[in-house]
Amino acid sequence: MGRRSGVLEFAVLGLLHDAPMHGYELRKRLNILLGTFRALSYGTLYPCLKNLVAQGFLVEDNPDVEYVPATALNGKRSKTVYRLSPEGKQRFEELLADSGPDAWEDEHFGVHFAFFGQTDRAVRMRVLEGRRSRLEERLERMRNSLARARERFDDYTIELQRHGLESVEREVRWLNELIETERANRTGRTGPATGANPAAHPKTSDGRGRETGSSDPSGPPYDRPGRSAQER
């Protein structure tokens, strides 16, 4: 299974874990939940649903109704309602417990974060710390690249690279706040709330030996995949 299809499988199982729904409603929820799937079509979703049914992870409540995609002309929608089977619930729990390197990557991290409310705290910590470690490695490469670019490229190319560097730095600061909050909650202390008054946030390390205060109110990067789920 490809990386993108694996992300979609996880998202579908997670949404259906909350409640059964038909394909049209599921597609709307996916488009709201996952920024990376805003262009999701029935041509992408329907094969995924059928594959999950074939694997025994989903059950179709109306399997005899022919699937007809909604269009502006016919106005029809699928009548089939999908729900998780016991095997599907177990599969979702397995995916939820995954804290390996795949969970730190851009697409996977957004989906994992969207379901953090159902995730064990120890798993959340491993995913957050793994994501931070991955981004710190990326920062090192980007800084080296920017240093070389100053000698070879024009001002606009350098500015674009600097913009990308600052976006990653913002996400590292955001991850530091989340990790600090998780640790504070685990020990019974009150940690900084994400999105709260920046002046109330203590300084944290950005993972590179420097302190970062909360003077930057930008919070998580604007293009973070799991953002809409956190805002719901």
Side-chain angles (χ1 to χ4, degrees):
M1 179 176 294
R3 175 169 294 181
R4 185 178 176 88
S5 60
V7 171
L8 183 55
E9 173 191 324
F10 186 17
V12 167
L13 293 176
L15 289 176
L16 292 178
H17 187 268
D18 293 336
M21 61 187 78
H22 54 69
Y24 178 80
E25 178 64 22
L26 183 58
R27 178 172 175 260
K28 289 198 302 182
R29 292 285 300 277
L30 285 166
N31 285 331
I32 292 171
L33 178 66
L34 306 174
T36 53
F37 289 108
R38 287 198 180 106
L40 183 68
S41 66
Y42 280 108
T44 302
L45 175 59
Y46 189 61
C48 176
L49 291 172
K50 285 302 182 184
N51 183 55
L52 292 173
V53 170
Q55 294 182 76
F57 297 146
L58 298 185
V59 175
E60 295 175 311
D61 283 342
N62 298 312
D64 295 331
V65 177
E66 181 181 359
Y67 173 77
V68 181
T71 68
L73 296 178
N74 62 34
K76 295 180 180 180
R77 299 175 182 175
S78 170
K79 301 298 183 180
T80 302
V81 175
Y82 297 91
R83 58 182 173 85
L84 289 190
S85 66
E87 293 79 9
K89 293 179 181 178
Q90 181 179 350
R91 174 60 174 164
F92 175 63
E93 291 171 358
E94 292 172 354
L95 294 172
L96 206 62
D98 179 20
S99 59
D102 274 352
W104 314 340
E105 300 297 342
D106 294 342
E107 287 187 346
H108 280 261
F109 175 74
V111 182
H112 274 272
F113 191 84
F115 298 115
F116 259 20
Q118 305 174 57
T119 305
D120 180 78
R121 178 176 293 170
V123 175
R124 292 199 302 264
M125 283 294 294
R126 289 195 294 271
V127 173
L128 290 172
E129 291 175 341
R131 175 66 175 175
R132 181 175 63 179
S133 175
R134 183 60 48 85
L135 290 183
E136 287 172 346
E137 295 173 0
R138 187 180 299 175
L139 273 177
E140 184 67 25
R141 295 192 300 269
M142 294 177 75
R143 286 172 177 143
N144 291 336
S145 176
L146 182 60
R148 294 191 300 268
R150 294 183 187 281
E151 303 174 358
R152 297 183 294 170
F153 297 108
D154 60 43
D155 291 343
Y156 296 102
T157 302
I158 293 172
E159 190 66 19
L160 184 62
Q161 291 198 10
R162 188 177 66 82
H163 172 69
L165 177 67
E166 291 176 350
S167 296
V168 178
E169 288 175 336
R170 284 198 301 271
E171 185 170 354
V172 170
R173 290 195 295 270
W174 172 70
L175 289 167
N176 283 329
E177 290 186 350
L178 289 173
I179 291 170
E180 182 178 336
T181 300
E182 291 286 344
R183 288 173 175 166
N185 290 340
R186 183 171 56 191
T187 58
R189 297 184 290 108
T190 301
T194 302
N197 184 355
H201 289 190
K203 290 184 178 181
T204 60
S205 169
D206 68 355
R208 301 184 62 81
R210 300 178 308 200
E211 285 188 335
T212 60
S214 299
S215 58
D216 179 2
S218 58
Y222 61 87
D223 56 350
R224 178 169 48 80
R227 185 178 182 185
S228 60
Q230 188 184 25
E231 294 173 342
R232 287 188 301 169

